[in-house]
């Protein structure tokens, strides 16, 4: 689960769930395996190799309005459960949540 900012957050921040409660509930239920807030995009370093040359630059590579600000590794039975977990996260109200399964290279 990628936690992202959004240029159009919910205009009623008082309705947002508490992140500490969300973390505690999902840790206790065994759904949240790991998670962390990321440093701001200004702390990013972008690494690329082009024509065999290493290119390192400060800051994020993409110029976008939304930034990934954190992540949570979830263990859910299916996408429906993951959606229910994500909808209760405060950043679903103040930002965006992107759910993405791990790639299955065995298929």
């Amino acid at each position: 689960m990628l936690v992202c900012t959004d240029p159009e957050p919910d205009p009623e921040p008082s309705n947002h769930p508490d992140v500490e409660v969300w973390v505690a509930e999902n840790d206790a239920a065994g759904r949240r395996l790991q998670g962390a807030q990321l440093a701001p995009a200004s702390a990013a370093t972008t690494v690329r190799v082009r024509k065999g040359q290493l290119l390192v630059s400060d800051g994020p590579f993409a110029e976008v309005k939304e930034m990934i600000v954190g992540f949570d590794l979830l263990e859910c039975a299916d996408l429906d459960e993951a959606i229910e977990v994500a909808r209760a996260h405060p950043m679903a109200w103040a930002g965006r949540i992107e759910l993405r399964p791990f790639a299955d290279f065995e298929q």
Side-chain angles (χ1 to χ4, degrees):
M1 182 178 97
L2 300 176
V3 180
C4 307
T5 61
D6 189 334
E8 300 175 17
D10 184 346
E12 299 181 30
S14 62
N15 294 336
H16 297 186
D18 182 274
V19 72
E20 307 268 339
V21 172
W22 183 90
V23 167
E25 287 175 355
N26 287 286
D27 282 356
R31 286 186 296 257
R32 182 178 174 273
L33 305 179
Q34 184 178 9
Q37 184 175 348
L38 300 177
S42 60
T45 299
T46 299
V47 177
R48 296 178 287 156
V49 176
R50 300 294 182 265
K51 297 181 182 179
Q53 295 292 320
L54 172 64
L55 304 171
V56 179
S57 58
D58 293 336
F61 176 71
E63 294 291 330
V64 295
K65 293 180 182 177
E66 301 88 10
M67 292 289 177
I68 298 171
V69 295
F71 74 95
D72 289 284
L73 180 59
L74 305 176
E75 179 73 42
C76 296
D78 53 29
L79 180 58
D80 290 335
E81 182 182 4
I83 290 170
E84 286 303 309
V85 171
R87 82 185 293 240
H89 192 286
M91 284 301 284
W93 300 63
R96 296 180 186 203
I97 301 292
E98 181 178 326
L99 297 172
R100 218 187 274 192
F102 285 104
D104 185 354
F105 294 109
E106 306 267 325
Q107 292 184 352

